[in-house]
Amino acid sequence: MEADANVSRRPLEQELVSRGVRMTHQRRLLVQIIQSADGHLDAVGLWQRAMQQDPTLNKVTVYRTLGMLKKLGLVDELDLMHLEGGKHYYEAKTTRDHIHLACTKCGRIQEFESSLFEKLKGQIERERQFRISTVRVEAGGLCDRCQE
Amino acid sequence: MEADANVSRRPLEQELVSRGVRMTHQRRLLVQIIQSADGHLDAVGLWQRAMQQDPTLNKVTVYRTLGMLKKLGLVDELDLMHLEGGKHYYEAKTTRDHIHLACTKCGRIQEFESSLFEKLKGQIERERQFRISTVRVEAGGLCDRCQE
DNA sequence: GTACTTGCAAAGATTTTGCTTCCAA
DNA sequence: TTGGAAGCAAAATCTTTGCAAGTAC
């Protein structure tokens, strides 16, 4: 299984099929939730949403599915500065890379895109001959609403 | 206890004293190890090094000390793309912010400084009125030695 | 039919908490 | 002397693994 930085814009399910991944109904459900979620789901949150539709779906299956998607490079794994415990968050890699801003006071997560970020990635690849497959930028601090 | 983005270049021990933190011999030892380490120590690694000098030092003390240093903004916590498990790595915040490049093949960690990174931080603070106290940039991929 | 996937239970890894004793200031 | 810190044991949190039974292709 190889990660792929050039992620298509196809729905995850189609992407998996085209990569020869066996589509079980558990995977179909999980992948649909990830795709339609506003983002930043943790494993247990994903599991809870899934159980609303299939109460027999096991938490272990969630972890295994996330592991597979991560290996295939179809989801990004985030920590969001560990605002609440050591868990991880996942989001489909369907958009441009973006930066996550985590407010340490109210817990709000903002996303931020920037061409500077794209330039920075280019600089790294050029100057270090480093072939980036995943980048994670997370900033912790006070958001505009929480200052003063 | 408040985080402070303007970290002095003083040795951690002096910094703690000046902030009114009680200096136990355990803290003195841990802080010296963190400071003299090449960086990227995880809690258990720090504990093991500390035990060479004080075999009675408890692992819990390591976690509590790291927690304190983190709250005070004197160390940065890293994940290094979880190359090996879900543990965290720590490094003294004595240098300029830098990016960590983690090779998914050989596990090597490189550091990278860039003025683009500084500009990016400025852009975030300006455009979002977000007061950054910690930033973490981690890239996973193949280092120069591991390609082809 | 067969290899891959799931569910279940159990274990593993990392970090945190409660409480008593101890020590730095 | 006294409030904060350390040690110990236990628990909490998050994630992974082994194996039997089930299922997609």
Side-chain angles (χ1 to χ4, degrees), chain B residues 76-131:
Chain B
D76 274 329
E77 186 183 64
L78 311 169
D79 295 280
L80 301 181
M81 300 312 272
H82 303 294
L83 250 42
E84 30 177 347
K87 59 187 154 195
H88 298 132
Y89 299 84
Y90 299 88
E91 60 182 27
K93 234 185 195 175
T94 47
T95 51
R96 280 179 68 205
D97 276 334
H98 51 267
I99 293 161
H100 290 91
L101 311 179
C103 179
T104 50
K105 194 165 174 199
C106 70
R108 180 162 64 119
I109 306 295
Q110 296 179 70
E111 301 188 346
F112 187 82
E113 282 190 19
S114 165
S115 62
L116 276 175
F117 181 29
E118 301 301 317
K119 278 184 196 146
L120 179 58
K121 288 190 291 182
Q123 188 191 30
I124 293 168
E125 299 217 301
R126 239 179 303 109
E127 293 188 12
R128 288 294 170 92
Q129 311 286 346
F130 190 93
R131 194 172 302 154

Side-chain angles (χ1 to χ4, degrees), chain A residues 22 24 26-27 56 58 60-61 64:
Chain A
R22 184 180 292 188
T24 62
Q26 291 93 335
R27 285 180 176 167
T56 72
N58 197 279
V60 173
T61 300
R64 286 198 270 232

Side-chain angles (χ1 to χ4, degrees), chain A:
Chain A
M1 208 162 353
E2 268 299 299
D4 183 356
N6 299 311
V7 177
S8 83
R9 295 293 175 271
R10 271 189 289 191
L12 279 175
E13 183 177 337
Q14 276 183 45
E15 187 61 37
L16 290 173
V17 169
S18 78
R19 297 205 195 192
V21 173
R22 184 180 292 188
M23 282 312 298
T24 62
H25 68 91
Q26 291 93 335
R27 285 180 176 167
R28 209 167 341 257
L29 175 53
L30 290 172
V31 141
Q32 277 166 6
I33 295 171
I34 292 170
Q35 191 128 253
S36 64
D38 36 357
H40 315 150
L41 269 175
D42 67 287
V44 173
L46 173 56
W47 180 51
Q48 286 168 341
R49 289 211 202 177
M51 280 204 299
Q52 293 172 10
Q53 299 197 228
D54 175 359
T56 72
L57 194 150
N58 197 279
K59 203 196 294 188
V60 173
T61 300
V62 174
Y63 280 108
R64 286 198 270 232
T65 301
L66 287 172
M68 174 203 60
L69 294 170
K70 193 166 46 156
K71 266 198 205 141
L72 290 171
L74 297 174
V75 295
D76 274 328
E77 186 183 63
L78 310 168
D79 296 280
L80 301 180
M81 300 313 272
H82 303 295
L83 251 43
E84 29 178 346
K87 62 186 155 195
H88 298 133
Y89 300 85
Y90 299 88
E91 61 182 27
K93 236 184 193 175
T94 48
T95 50
R96 277 180 68 205
D97 275 336
H98 50 267
I99 293 162
H100 290 91
L101 311 178
C103 179
T104 49
K105 195 166 173 194
C106 70
R108 179 162 65 116
I109 306 294
Q110 297 180 71
E111 301 189 346
F112 187 81
E113 281 190 20
S114 164
S115 61
L116 277 175
F117 181 31
E118 301 301 320
K119 279 184 196 146
L120 179 58
K121 286 192 289 182
Q123 188 191 31
I124 292 168
E125 299 216 301
R126 240 179 304 107
E127 294 189 10
R128 290 294 171 92
Q129 312 285 348
F130 191 92
R131 194 172 301 152
I132 296 176
S133 59
T134 330
V135 211
R136 190 155 70 196
V137 185
E138 299 182 352
L142 291 176
C143 73
D144 52 350
R145 302 181 195 154
C146 288
Q147 285 172 32
E148 82 232 22

Side-chain angles (χ1 to χ4, degrees), chain B residues 18-77:
Chain B
S18 78
R19 298 206 195 188
V21 173
R22 184 179 294 189
M23 283 311 297
T24 63
H25 68 91
Q26 289 92 335
R27 285 180 175 168
R28 209 169 337 257
L29 175 54
L30 290 171
V31 140
Q32 278 166 5
I33 295 171
I34 292 169
Q35 190 125 258
S36 63
D38 35 0
H40 317 147
L41 269 175
D42 67 288
V44 172
L46 173 55
W47 180 50
Q48 285 169 340
R49 288 211 203 179
M51 280 205 299
Q52 292 173 9
Q53 298 198 230
D54 176 359
T56 72
L57 195 149
N58 197 280
K59 204 196 294 190
V60 173
T61 300
V62 174
Y63 280 108
R64 286 200 268 235
T65 301
L66 287 172
M68 173 203 63
L69 293 171
K70 192 166 48 160
K71 266 198 206 141
L72 289 171
L74 298 174
V75 295
D76 274 329
E77 186 183 64

